[in-house]
Amino acid sequence: MNSIGMQFINGVWTHGSGKSVRDIINPASGKVVGTVAEGSSADVDAAVAAARTAFDEGPWRDTPALARASLLLKLADALQADMAAFAKIETENNGKPLREAEGDVTDAANCFRYYAGLITKPLGQTYDVPDAMQSMVVREPVGVCGLIIPWNYPLLMAAWKLAPALGAGNCVIFKPAEATPLSAIRLFGLIEKLGLPAGVANLVLGAGEIVGARLSEHMDIDKIAFTGGTDTGRLIMKAAAGNIKKISLELGGKSPCIVFDDADIEVAVDWALFAIFCNQGEVCSAGSRLLLQDGIYDRFLARLVERAKQIVVGPGDDPLTEMGPLITREHMERVLSYIEIGKADGARLMCGGTRMAGKLSEGFFVEPTIFADCTPDMRIVREEIFGPVLAVLRFSDEAHAVKLANDSVFGLAGGVFSADGAKALRVIRKLRSGITWINCYHPTYNEAPWGGYKQSGIGRELGTFGLEAFTEVKQININLAPGKIGWYRH
Ligand code: NAD
C-alpha cells in the first residue's frame, strides 16, 4: 500500500478528526507494509451519528430482503474475484500461510452468500391464542451495531459480523484490530461500490482502548458484537451497561482434544497437530490441551513430537510454509514467557520452546512447542496462550477425561477421538463447550452456530443463530373482532 489507509465514515473516505497515523507491520519481516489513519473518539461519534441517521431515517432497514440479499451476493462475488489481492494482504498483515489466507477469502465470500440466502427465508412465528386475535412475531433489525474484531482472522471475522448485521437491515460501525486493518480497508472499497446509502456501513480504525471503548459505551449504539479476549469482553460488558446495549461476545478458550486408547493414532496425531498449530495457534478454538489416555500416552506423544518437529515454519508467502509468525513482537514475547512459565512449573518440554533464529530472526517466529506431563494446576494448562504451545495431560478413564476437560473457566470448543462412537458421543455430551468435534478438529461451517459456554462468551455467531443475534423480536396482536372491550361500565 502506497497511500495512507483511510476510514470510511458516512459514505466518505476520511482521515478523520486527527492527523495521527499507525504503521502496519508484516510479522514475518518486522517491516512496515502500510500506514493507516488512526481513529479517535470523535471519529466514532461521527460514524455513530451517520449510522443513527441512516437507521432512523434512511431506507436501508425497509429495503426488501431480496434487494439486500442481492447486494450481499454482489459483495461475495467481488470478494472472490479479488481473492489473490485479499489473500496477499492477509498474509502480509497477519502472517498466516497464503493457502490458509486463500481459504479465509473463500469462507468469507461464502459467509456473505449464506446470509444472502437466509434473510429471504421465513423468520417469524404466529400463535393460536385464546381470543379472537391474530398474534404473531416479526424480526426487526436491532439498529446501530458496533462490530469489533481481533487480528487472527481479519477478513473472515469481518464477514462473520458484517454479513448477518447488514443482511438483517442494521447500520454498522466496524472496527478491525489495530494490528490488522488492511483487508478491512480493501473490503470497504468493495462495499463502497455496492452503493449502500451513506452511513449504513462505516469503518473506524484505531486503538481498542480508545475507539473500541468509545463504541462500547456509546449511548446511541444499540448493540455491540465483539470477538476478542475474555478480559476485553468483561470491559465491554461493563461499558455497555450504560444504555443496556445488546451484546454478543465471542471470547477466548483453552479447549481440550481428548484421545482414547482405541483411536486411530495416525489420524488423531494429524488432527491434534492441526488443532494446536493451524494459524500459528492463534485460534480461539485451538486444541491447546491434549488429553491422552494411559495406554497410548508414550506412543502417541513420541509420534506427535516427531511430526511437530517436521512442521515447516516460515513466511506465509513461501508455498512450503506450514506455520507462519506470531502477530506482533509483544505477542511473541508473551508466548515465550508462557514457555518459561511452563518450564518453571515442571512441565516436560518435548520440542520447540524458542524463537526461531537465522533467516527468520527478523520476524516473530516461535517453534511449535509441546509440553508433556502437565498437571491441571499449571498456568500453561489454565490460561489461554494463543500461540503454538501445546500442554499434554494424561487420563485414566472416561470420567477422568471429562473431569479434566471441564476443569477450565473457558468452554469454547473440544474434540474426542475414539473408535467407539457411543463413547465419543457420551463424552462430547458431557463437555461444557459450545463447539465440538468427533474424530476431527476445527472444521467450521457458516451453517452451524459458533460460540462458547462459561467465560468463552455470550451468544452465537453463524447459522440461523447468528442472524437472530442481529434482530429484535416484535410481538404484534391484531384484533379480529374489533369493537369496545367491555371493561368499562360506561
Ligand atoms: P483483544 O481483546 O485484545 O482485541 C480484540 C478487539 O478488541 C480489537 O479490535 C481491539 O482493538 C479491541 N479492544 C481492545 N480493548 C478494547 C476495549 N477496552 N473496548 C473495546 N474494544 C477493545 O483480543 P486480540 O488479542 O485481538 O485477540 C485474541 C483474543 O480473541 C483471544 O483471546 C481469542 O481467543 C479471542 N478470539 C475469540 C474468537 C471466538 O470466536 N470466540 C475468535 C477469534 C479470537
Side-chain angles (χ1 to χ4, degrees):
M1 182 183 286
N2 299 321
S3 54
I4 293 174
M6 295 286 174
Q7 310 185 89
F8 190 68
I9 298 175
N10 204 16
V12 175
W13 290 99
T14 168
H15 195 121
S17 62
K19 294 210 166 21
S20 340
V21 292
R22 179 187 290 266
D23 283 338
I24 304 303
I25 306 297
N26 179 342
S29 64
K31 300 215 163 72
V32 174
V33 278
T35 302
V36 302
E38 181 71 3
S40 64
S41 294
D43 298 334
V44 172
D45 292 350
V48 174
R52 193 76 261 169
T53 305
F55 186 76
D56 293 342
E57 297 168 22
W60 180 242
R61 62 194 273 196
D62 299 322
T63 301
L66 186 61
R68 295 201 304 271
S70 92
L71 290 171
L72 293 187
L73 290 173
K74 239 192 214 174
L75 183 57
D77 288 347
L79 186 53
Q80 190 91 57
D82 203 15
M83 147 100 82
F86 270 100
K88 182 168 179 287
I89 287 176
E90 206 73 334
T91 288
E92 274 176 3
N93 195 172
N94 166 276
K96 65 179 69 197
L98 194 62
R99 70 193 154 108
E100 286 186 28
E102 286 167 353
D104 288 357
V105 181
T106 301
D107 288 347
N110 284 337
C111 184
F112 285 108
R113 291 191 178 109
Y114 173 76
Y115 282 108
L118 192 61
I119 58 177
T120 59
K121 304 302 174 288
L123 272 178
Q125 296 180 355
T126 60
Y127 311 107
D128 199 348
V129 293
D131 270 323
M133 288 276 174
Q134 176 60 64
S135 184
M136 62 186 179
V137 146
V138 293
R139 294 273 182 174
E140 297 183 344
V142 179
V144 173
C145 301
L147 314 176
I148 305 176
I149 65 157
W151 40 257
N152 59 340
Y153 286 90
L155 179 66
L156 191 58
M157 294 294 107
W160 283 21
K161 295 218 175 340
L162 287 166
L166 291 173
N170 298 283
C171 294
V172 304
I173 301 101
F174 177 77
K175 190 200 107 52
E178 42 272 62
T180 53
L182 299 184
S183 54
I185 294 172
R186 194 171 182 95
L187 182 65
F188 268 76
L190 300 183
I191 289 174
E192 182 190 16
K193 293 200 183 108
L194 298 177
L196 297 174
V200 169
N202 302 276
L203 170 69
V204 179
L205 308 173
E209 55 279 13
I210 295 170
V211 170
R214 180 69 187 139
L215 284 168
S216 311
E217 70 182 12
H218 209 294
M219 298 300 274
D220 279 337
I221 291 187
D222 301 298
K223 172 178 170 119
I224 292 285
F226 170 76
T227 299
T230 294
D231 287 338
T232 314
R234 255 185 275 280
L235 291 175
I236 289 174
M237 277 185 94
K238 285 188 194 142
N243 66 334
I244 317 287
K245 269 183 205 70
K246 274 68 192 163
I247 47 173
S248 44
L249 303 174
E250 300 291 342
L251 308 176
K254 191 78 193 178
S255 300
C257 179
I258 304 166
V259 187
F260 282 93
D261 283 349
D262 59 3
D264 180 324
I265 290 197
E266 277 305 306
V267 170
V269 163
D270 219 39
W271 284 107
L273 290 169
F274 186 61
I276 181 61
F277 298 125
C278 104
N279 211 52
Q280 303 78 241
E282 295 169 332
V283 184
C284 53
S285 53
S288 50
R289 289 184 293 148
L290 178 62
L291 277 47
L292 299 178
Q293 197 167 13
D294 279 334
I296 48 158
Y297 187 89
D298 293 323
R299 206 155 37 106
F300 194 103
L301 195 56
R303 183 72 180 126
L304 184 79
V305 169
E306 184 188 352
R307 290 277 311 278
K309 286 179 177 165
Q310 293 163 359
I311 291 174
V312 180
V313 182
D317 58 5
D318 181 336
L320 295 178
T321 289
E322 293 170 319
M323 197 179 95
L326 298 181
I327 187 72
T328 56
R329 180 179 300 280
E330 298 72 44
H331 186 55
M332 174 188 70
E333 276 159 10
R334 187 171 168 273
V335 169
L336 290 170
S337 79
Y338 267 109
I339 292 172
E340 292 312 310
I341 290 168
K343 288 188 211 160
D345 283 351
R348 181 157 58 109
L349 182 65
M350 305 296 295
C351 64
T354 51
R355 182 179 180 181
M356 310 273 299
K359 271 200 311 204
L360 298 183
S361 60
E362 307 268 281
F364 314 132
F365 296 91
V366 172
E367 292 173 304
T369 299
I370 298 177
F371 280 106
D373 305 344
C374 296
T375 52
D377 54 311
M378 290 179 180
R379 282 185 63 194
I380 58 165
V381 173
R382 308 210 70 78
E383 297 174 20
E384 185 183 46
I385 300 174
F386 218 57
V389 181
L390 178 64
V392 184
L393 295 93
R394 181 192 287 268
F395 71 91
S396 51
D397 58 14
E398 214 175 303
H400 189 203
V402 170
K403 188 165 184 291
L404 284 176
N406 285 335
D407 183 13
S408 172
V409 298
F410 299 109
L412 189 57
V416 172
F417 289 83
S418 169
D420 178 344
K423 178 167 68 181
L425 189 55
R426 272 198 308 274
V427 172
I428 285 287
R429 291 298 306 267
K430 291 230 161 65
L431 287 191
R432 301 281 299 149
S433 310
I435 309 153
T436 62
W437 297 280
I438 292 179
N439 291 331
C440 63
Y441 202 101
H442 273 329
T444 299
Y445 302 102
N446 288 317
E447 293 78 2
W450 184 269
Y453 289 20
K454 301 197 266 182
Q455 293 187 31
S456 289
I458 297 178
R460 296 291 180 272
E461 292 195 293
L462 299 182
T464 54
F465 299 83
L467 183 61
E468 285 169 8
F470 281 103
T471 64
E472 287 279 20
V473 172
K474 178 176 283 173
Q475 177 187 151
I476 303 176
N477 297 291
I478 307 165
N479 192 350
L480 300 177
K484 292 175 81 174
I485 58 173
W487 182 264
Y488 304 105
R489 280 199 218 111
H490 306 289

